[in-house]
Amino acid sequence: MKLTINGKQIEVEGPKTLLEAARENDISIPSLCDHPRLSPFSGCRLCLVKIKGRKGYMPSCSTYAEEGMEVQTQSPQLKKLRKQIMEFILSEHPNACLICREKENCDEYKSTLRKVGEVTGCVLCPNNGRCELQDVVEELNIKRVSFPSQYRELEVKKRDPFFDQNYNLCILCGRCVRVCHEVRGNSVLTFSYRGTKTVVGTVLDLPHTETGCQFCGACVDVCPTGALTERELKYEGLPQRMEPAICGLCSMGCELQINLREGRLLNSLPSDQGVVNQGQACVKGRFTLKDILYSQERLLRPMIRRNKHLEEVDWDEALDYVAEGLGQYKGEKVALFSSTQLGCEDGYISQKFAQEALKTGNIGTPAVFFPVQSLKRLAQNHGFELDLNFRMDQISEAKTVFLVGTDVPLTHPIIWLELLKALQKGARFIYLSPNEFEINRHADQWIQNKPGTESYVLNFLSRLILQGSSTSQDISEREGFHTFKNSLENFPLEKAPSITGVSEKQLKEAAEILGGKSPKAILFGGAFSQVRWRNQNLSALWNLSLLTQAGLYPLDLDSNSRGMEVIHGRSFDLGQSFNRIVQNLSSGKIKALYQMGPVPLPQKIKTNFRVFQDSFLNAQREQADALLPASTFLEREGIFVNAEGRVQKTSPVLPPMGDSRPDWWILSQLAQRMGVSGFKYKKTSQVRKELGENIPELNSASSSRLKEKEVFLKEEKKGPKKFLPVQLKETPAKPTREYPYLMMVEGSQDYYRNFHLSEKIKGFRMIRDVHWLYISPQDAEKLELKENQPVKVESTKGKMSRKVKISTSVLSGTVKTSFNWDEPSDSLINFDSSLFPAIQVVPVRIKRGE
Amino acid sequence: MEEKVLTKNFGVKNSHRIDVYLERGGYQAVQKALQMDPDKILEEVKAANLRGRGGAGFPAGVKLGFVPKEVEKPKYLCANADEGEPGTFKDRYIMTHDPHLLIEGMIIISYCVGIHKAYVYIRGEYEHIAQQLEKALSEAYDKNYLGQNILNSGFDLDVFIHRGAGAYICGEETGLLESLEGKRGYPRLKPPFPAAIGLFQCPTVINNVETLSNIPQVILKGAQWFVNKGLPKDGGTRIFSVSGMVEKPGVYECPVGTSLKDIIYEYAGGLKEGKKLKAVIPGGLSAPILKPDEIDVPMDFDSLMEAGSMLGSASVMVIDQEKPILDVLRVISDFYSHESCGQCTPCRIGNSWINKIIHRLYREKGKKEDLDKIIRLASNMKGKTLCPLGDAAALPILSLTQKFREELETYTES
Ligand SMILES: Cc1cc2nc3c(=O)[nH]c(=O)nc-3n(C[C@H](O)[C@H](O)[C@H](O)COP(=O)(O)O)c2cc1C
Ligand code: SF4
Ligand code: SF4
Ligand code: SF4
Ligand code: SF4
Ligand code: SF4
Ligand code: FES
């Protein structure tokens, strides 16, 4: 449509606000409450404009452009009006610096004066130099404020981790309130009181830690003033350099903007250009990178054990030492555990290294616990292929969403944001879990099942759906349909409540929702696929997805689990390999172990030679013969495959710290010293090229198309999908009199290699502690347990220390915890019987004390 | 002449009970309406030129016509019983004396638009009235004027009562909707208007209690009858809430267009004990003030607009000579600076500065510029705020400061 602004004819494609239309055409209109990603608020009133033929003034941020409109954004009256409004705002804001005549000189001489509790002017404000309020004052050329200043006298809040709240600086633009509610689905922030007493904050002024805040930092990022500021940034100057990087802390693969000054990382922000994350991130990517990168425990020099002590040495010495050590244990005597947080190049080299230098097939990866690998195995066993790639926006387009067993805002933050978009468009949403999640308030239904009975619930649902309506032909003609249908006869609905704890009525309602509108999305996460009975879980879910014609989305876990899974999975059966390694380690058959990240292992294993290649010193260093410093994802280039299957390349934003080196480099050097040819790489790109030639799924690894961020793992779609027979062989152990509580366990997601966020970062520990034992208020009362009290949790197989977290999210009779992947895990992980390692649901007893 | 058509049941013993209401011809309009084609009802309401009694005076029929006909979503009706405008107390009389009249009006409008869920958003302080209304609802349910298949017509309607929590802004229709949805009562941006996107994002009719209570007689007696009661473009009678220094404060039902002078002197018995008139606020606290020489004005929307004021909620507040005008100004400003919801800058901060200046005039002699400052601040609010509350504050303050400048200047240094 065509309209004129200030007499100039412009053309815009609708629907667009006048402010957007003006911005597109480089016409500046002062604004403060508007934000491109948020709904219009029109509270500040700075963006008022005059429209011909309309009474009074209209806010351009919420008035939509119309054909033939004649808009005036500048006039003496508008100028006066805006000045008056700005003076209003400034009368409630420390304004001395803003209108100070010495401003320019001051800026030059006092750049960082922020170590004060009270902000009385820009020079003392952490937002100085990156403040939108300053920009607008500049734009409006405000030189005086005709009102005396009003100080709100609000307490500056520093009680929460990661960011401070100084609402004395707040201009009530409501951006933080809107972003939290609209984009993050959290609604932690709100306005309170009215008139001039209006303030922004949490309900009842509670600390953020008590309001379900995820500390995603979105509110901080949109705040135009210094009211919400990142604590770490307070004493820092402005960034000199900004670099993009792909976050390596979970499977979302967010693009971050890394801010640097004097060669140091200042902080990290979600990148507005991020294809995956679109200006959003989570607490890990937003607030923890600095702690990770500059950790006291960063491994900066190679270390080897000499005379029983670990000693720092140079690379030459270290490499020789390790090459010699490993040289003695080849084939069946050695094993290598890689990590799902490495780049594909590292993964490829570790694979090649194991095969060609160590001459072994003993390669283990934590990917075996993760959704994609579990589902893939199931499909392979039954002889069909899967399409595992998806795009985030498929989830936001779903009309019916079924989530199984993962607290998605915590485990897959960006997936949650997409799911939220679907909900805002009216999608129905149900989730299945023994535990209540924060997102319950968004759900149409929470099916709370007894732990471990998920597959039963799913089969009951399938049965109800089959009974409910006639099945379409393309479903009933699918292979396996009739066997599947007949086997569901064993699921009479009357039995559902006693087996699963879910009422018939609820199952019926859920079945109705699942039978509803398409497109449908079924999402599942780690908890569902890491248990011993994962196959019966996954078959049931698979069948249900075929029956309801829903897309099935396995939400994989680490930053490159999907990449590593294809690389390692090409030549090995990963599950068998993992368990064989563990058994042979326990029996002493394997004598040398090479580890590149935390792996769950039995406590009592003995090796003759053990190498840790990692970025951090860890608790197991006492068992190490050598420690080799690997650089982090911020210090090197590499490609990573996120949960969608999207292949993303990240570049180094900083040089490697100390003597740390990329993982592929370390392994290639070792291989060379072990006399193996074919490892002479100079650059990451050479490795990548070779990888692309050898791993068909990653044949685009070197492609220049990676820049467009639209490259996915190559998938071959073979053969029709079929229904699987219902097989219910296993049930979780039942609590006994001696061990009366059923404990659910999940591997922690909050780590980077050997660095465990909740152990090392106090703020993170305040939000979620890997060692929390969630227990219901009833059980806590019965056991006379108090919040944070140390307890011992004992099972028949072992014990562990935890801290009490009283929570209504768990059923009475059950408890829930997580564990760091390198914690001694005998009591948690089933290494023996099944083909796959599995995390247990175990009966436990709880005792007070450390 | 005082006309008792809307208030005909006021003062009748147990008039709030359904049997008394029925005895006196109640629910006949519903019976008639349920036999009518909904479009016919809409036509009738349009023709009656019934203008909204909540304040803005928007023609009720036109508003109904804005509701989209063919939509998948449910539609809602909200009776605005927040009655927050200072000086206004007519809705409370209706709900106390004749709750079924409101219910009947709500049934007819709901039937007309195809609404099956209606709400009464009632002022928090009206606790006892809410209870009484609750009883009236259950009486209506018992006799099947509400609920499923009303009077075998196949039409269903449920009515719910929602109590406010004491904010003036929740009487503003979109603030009301937010509050009804359980949120903070921040007014919404318009457009979209509630008729298209209202409660829970669905088409919604919002009308004042008195507006809705007029519907039964429009249906029973016809639009022409209604227009004849008032003026061609502003039909019917109105319930005037008269307060201040008059002999007989209270509610008076008079035809639209009755002279303000008559309302004060004839019905309300003139000023108390021979006091002399200083000023009148004719339409609730938001209406610009009138001086004694301006009160010979017909009380209808257009005439008052012409006179530079507004009919608003038809609440007449009479101020006598002895009352210092600064007190009046202060009361107005105290109210608006307290009730500003805080969402937009000019109203939130503008009102508070006006208020501070006024309070300072009590403490110490002011400067002449103070009055100019008040005028400038108020002008910068007028027409620039997010919702009409900014205007509602600016207009009376402007008129009062301008019209009584001389008296106000006695508070400043000469
Ligand atoms: C600040 C403000 C407060 C209002 N308070 C009320 C009120 O208490 N009761 C009411 O009926 N209308 C009130 N209104 C008017 C409503 O917004 C709306 O116009 C009215 O309910 C529509 O009904 P009507 O068309 O039947 O008058 C208020 C308007 C504003 C701007
Ligand atoms: S928020 Fe901005 S304008 Fe206010 S003191 Fe800080 S830097 Fe200055
Ligand atoms: S950090 Fe995120 S969740 Fe917490 S208040 Fe801010 S936007 Fe909301
Ligand atoms: S805290 Fe910041 S974002 Fe939130 S309302 Fe205040 S100024 Fe706006
Ligand atoms: S969601 Fe994942 S990838 Fe994104 S910032 Fe958080 S940890 Fe990093
Ligand atoms: S004008 Fe006043 S009441 Fe209306 S939105 Fe603005 S601050 Fe709130
Ligand atoms: S930007 Fe439009 S009113 Fe604030």
Side-chain angles (χ1 to χ4, degrees), chain B residues 47-196:
Chain B
N49 283 335
L50 164 63
R51 295 180 64 170
R53 298 330 195 202
F58 198 82
V62 177
K63 193 162 20 177
L64 285 181
F66 288 155
V67 180
K69 285 229 165 70
E70 308 299 331
V71 280
E72 250 180 60
K73 293 179 181 176
K75 302 173 207 172
Y76 297 102
L77 168 68
C78 300
N80 189 342
D82 197 49
E83 194 148 69
E85 186 71 24
T88 316
F89 39 86
K90 60 190 177 73
D91 297 341
R92 128 176 170 199
Y93 271 83
I94 298 176
M95 291 184 288
T96 313
H97 292 278
D98 215 355
H100 287 285
L101 188 62
L102 169 64
I103 297 170
E104 193 173 2
M106 292 178 74
I107 300 167
I108 297 169
I109 294 292
S110 301
Y111 171 72
C112 169
V113 183
I115 289 166
H116 304 290
K117 262 188 193 152
Y119 296 85
V120 180
Y121 187 95
I122 188 164
R123 184 183 167 94
E125 291 87 338
Y126 289 176
E127 191 182 347
H128 59 291
I129 305 178
Q131 284 167 1
Q132 186 167 315
L133 201 55
E134 200 76 71
K135 279 195 203 117
L137 287 178
S138 75
E139 286 177 333
Y141 271 105
D142 287 346
K143 294 228 159 25
N144 192 223
Y145 292 110
L146 289 175
Q148 305 276 305
N149 190 18
I150 295 172
L151 306 180
N152 275 323
S153 62
F155 175 67
D156 308 332
L157 178 66
D158 286 309
V159 178
F160 306 93
I161 295 176
H162 185 102
R163 284 182 57 206
Y168 173 58
I169 199 61
C170 293
E172 194 281 331
E173 54 189 14
T174 56
L176 182 151
L177 294 178
E178 290 284 295
S179 171
L180 200 49
E181 287 180 10
K183 303 177 189 151
R184 178 179 168 86
Y186 263 178
R188 296 180 183 171
L189 297 170
K190 289 189 260 189
F193 290 91

Side-chain angles (χ1 to χ4, degrees), chain A residues 77-128:
Chain A
Q77 291 96 310
L78 276 169
K79 198 167 167 187
K80 247 169 76 188
L81 184 61
R82 292 194 185 123
K83 274 197 164 175
Q84 167 96 69
I85 291 170
M86 200 62 202
E87 282 186 40
F88 276 161
I89 293 175
L90 295 184
S91 75
E92 291 187 336
H93 198 92
N95 59 40
C97 296
L98 285 167
I99 53 173
C100 178
R101 264 179 260 136
E102 305 280 317
K103 194 151 78 173
E104 272 93 60
N105 297 337
C106 186
D107 285 350
E108 227 168 88
Y109 296 109
K110 300 191 199 126
S111 52
T112 309
L113 264 181
R114 299 189 195 103
K115 299 178 187 180
V116 286
E118 203 79 71
V119 174
T120 52
C122 299
V123 291
L124 304 175
C125 179
N127 220 39
N128 195 9

